[in-house]
Amino acid sequence: MKDTAPPPKRAAILLPWDKQAAHEAGRIRTPEARLAEAVGLAASIGLVIVHEQVFFLRGLTPATLLGKGQVEIAAASLRAFAVDVVVVDAALTPVQQRNLEKAWGAKVIDRTGLILDIFGARARTREGALQVELAHLDYQRSRLVRSWTHLERQRGGFGFLGGPGETQIEADRRLIGERIVKLKSELDEVRRTRGLHRGARKKVPYPIVALVGYTNAGKSTLFNALTGATVYAQDQLFATLDPTMRGLTLPSGRQIILSDTVGFISDLPTELVAAFRATLEEVAEADLLLHVRDISHPDTEAQARDVRAVLARLARDGALDEAWPDRTLEVLNKADLLGGVAEVVQAEGVAVSALSGEGLPRLQAIIDQRLSAHMELVETDIPVTDGARLAWAYRHGEVVSREDHEDRVRLTVRFSAADKARFEAL
């Protein structure tokens, strides 16, 4: 039987680089590093990269973003490499996208479209699929331009590269608007259910430790190494999307819930930040944030700055409390690529290798310490006949010492403020 699968699409990655704008925005990446990241993003969804180029901008051209001469230079290269898809690593307006497609005779997607495509390919749960579709439709709605008669074929569905669930360019805005309303309603239900789950956990309760970080920093590998789980982890951008939670017992015996969340990226599209609010609520509820960094990456400082910027944006929007920096611990991952934990020179943070396991015992001990910092020490005598109260203390607190007497058990226990109140009410 012949293989009828379509051949992979040949893609070109073009980076418009405005040096002055990058300097004014405080960006410390080089254009080469930004281009390499865009190539990695495109390759992660199966595009075959046949051409890549940086265009330095002297000014912004409203009609095409790139200058006229640059558009012509790009057109010659695209023809020479028989390119099917052009990824412009910038935010394009609908008019700019349309004009570039006319000039180049190829499909053009911008950075937002590319990231939405990746998210569409990675979403596994119903919640993830809903969030991606909402973000896609919100983005697509602004691009329903009737004059795109040269693109009568359907555009890609979650993506812009083809696939199931495609939405035609000529789709009626009202229908898309109605679908957006329905999706938001369904996500509200997801948020309500998640809230019930959080309420149930608070009754247990176990502290929540959430992993955050730049995409491909090794969060899922670290999650697996700590919990023994088998969450999908690959050396690719946005390998996992949907949040995963597992129980973990720390060296002190304390039970915690570890949450693996979606990775961040520079210039994360606004549509995605809004759509993934339900997922990011897990970050807001966490007792401790582990900011996982790829310490071996040449742009590790820029990546860390991007993650903090997204968290700060969430705080400004009210989705995260302003004190989040005080409950954040930096985890400097991939130390094995630098020769080991001892070779990592960093003023703050805990160096680890999620792959080799080096540094993980120390990380768990520090997590224990950080969670204990806001707990209260309680000394109490429990009658030996009150097994339920004794079991509750062990289940919800951290027993520091125990003395067994004939008629009572004397415990010294660390409790959170809420658990201390519950214990005293028993």
Side-chain angles (χ1 to χ4, degrees):
M1 186 176 178
K2 287 186 176 181
D3 184 6
T4 58
K9 288 183 169 61
R10 296 167 61 84
I13 313 299
L14 306 184
L15 171 64
W17 187 259
D18 187 334
K19 184 176 181 180
Q20 183 177 349
H23 176 73
E24 291 173 355
R27 294 172 183 158
I28 56 179
R29 276 188 179 83
T30 62
E32 291 78 15
R34 176 65 179 248
L35 181 63
E37 180 179 271
V39 168
L41 285 168
S44 72
I45 50 172
L47 291 175
V48 176
I49 314 303
V50 296
H51 178 61
E52 53 191 79
Q53 190 169 0
V54 178
F55 286 100
F56 293 93
L57 303 180
R58 296 191 183 126
L60 298 182
T61 304
T64 54
L65 183 62
L66 300 173
K68 182 179 178 181
Q70 293 174 326
V71 171
E72 292 172 353
I73 291 171
S77 298
L78 299 176
R79 285 193 299 271
F81 287 99
V83 168
D84 302 308
V85 179
V86 184
V87 178
V88 179
D89 190 27
L92 294 176
T93 67
V95 169
Q96 288 170 345
Q97 183 178 5
R98 183 172 74 250
N99 289 339
L100 290 175
E101 286 180 327
K102 285 180 178 178
W104 293 337
K107 185 174 291 186
V108 174
I109 61 175
D110 66 359
R111 183 176 178 84
T112 299
L114 177 62
I115 294 174
L116 286 171
D117 233 0
I118 295 169
F119 273 47
R122 300 282 186 267
R124 293 290 178 266
T125 66
R126 176 174 173 272
E127 176 186 352
L130 287 173
Q131 292 176 132
V132 171
E133 187 180 357
L134 175 60
H136 164 68
L137 289 176
D138 190 43
Y139 174 79
Q140 183 81 335
R141 181 167 54 176
S142 69
R143 286 159 199 271
L144 293 177
V145 182
R146 293 284 180 183
S147 58
W148 283 7
T149 53
H150 66 296
L151 290 177
E152 292 177 354
R153 64 188 181 277
Q154 292 180 330
R155 273 183 180 266
F158 285 155
F160 304 88
L161 306 179
E166 294 181 343
T167 303
Q168 288 183 319
I169 286 288
E170 296 80 9
D172 183 78
R173 286 182 185 274
R174 180 180 57 82
L175 293 178
I176 287 185
E178 289 174 355
R179 179 61 181 161
I180 286 175
V181 170
K182 187 174 186 298
L183 286 171
K184 286 182 176 179
S185 175
E186 292 184 36
L187 278 171
D188 283 341
E189 181 63 23
V190 168
R191 196 170 291 120
R192 189 187 69 82
T193 303
R194 191 179 289 279
L196 292 175
H197 290 167
R198 280 198 298 270
R201 289 198 298 267
K202 286 178 180 178
K203 291 177 182 177
V204 172
Y206 295 136
I208 298 174
V209 177
L211 303 178
V212 298
Y214 206 81
T215 183
N216 209 29
K219 295 186 305 303
S220 295
T221 303
L222 179 62
F223 181 87
N224 290 341
L226 291 172
T227 65
T230 55
V231 171
Y232 181 68
Q234 286 293 322
D235 182 20
Q236 62 180 205
L237 300 170
F238 296 116
T240 53
L241 258 191
D242 301 297
T244 308
M245 309 189 86
R246 293 286 188 277
L248 174 64
T249 303
L250 295 176
S252 67
R254 177 188 286 116
Q255 296 281 331
I256 68 169
I257 294 174
L258 193 65
S259 175
D260 183 20
T261 62
V262 65
F264 297 157
I265 195 167
S266 63
D267 298 330
L268 187 68
T270 303
E271 295 91 345
L272 283 175
V273 173
F276 278 79
R277 194 181 182 95
T279 299
L280 296 172
E281 281 175 0
E282 293 297 342
V283 175
E285 293 290 328
D287 298 275
L288 181 65
L289 301 177
L290 299 186
H291 177 187
V292 183
R293 293 175 52 182
D294 177 357
I295 197 62
S296 71
H297 198 286
D299 274 338
T300 184
E301 292 297 336
Q303 292 179 351
R305 184 181 295 185
D306 288 331
V307 170
R308 295 184 195 114
V310 173
L311 293 172
R313 191 198 312 182
L314 292 172
R316 288 194 300 272
D317 293 344
L320 188 63
D321 65 283
E322 295 288 347
W324 64 267
D326 299 332
R327 53 189 177 91
T328 300
L329 172 65
E330 291 208 338
V331 180
L332 313 177
N333 192 27
K334 304 192 182 182
D336 54 294
L337 298 179
L338 297 178
V341 165
E343 299 301 316
V344 177
V345 180
Q346 196 81 8
E348 296 180 357
V350 185
V352 304
S353 168
L355 199 59
S356 71
E358 187 184 10
L360 296 188
R362 180 168 177 259
L363 172 62
Q364 293 192 54
I366 292 175
I367 292 172
D368 241 343
Q369 293 171 12
R370 290 289 297 266
L371 292 175
S372 297
H374 301 291
M375 299 180 79
E376 299 182 40
L377 208 58
V378 175
E379 291 187 356
T380 183
D381 289 318
I382 301 175
V384 294
T385 56
D386 195 351
R389 197 161 190 257
L390 185 63
W392 200 97
Y394 271 92
R395 196 162 58 247
H396 300 284
E398 178 187 338
V399 176
V400 178
S401 65
R402 170 175 174 158
E403 297 176 10
D404 289 288
H405 299 275
E406 189 173 330
D407 60 339
R408 60 190 169 83
V409 176
R410 183 163 188 78
L411 290 182
T412 304
V413 191
R414 283 196 185 95
F415 284 122
S416 67
D419 283 339
K420 178 186 175 185
R422 291 191 188 100
F423 178 75
E424 292 173 344
L426 291 176

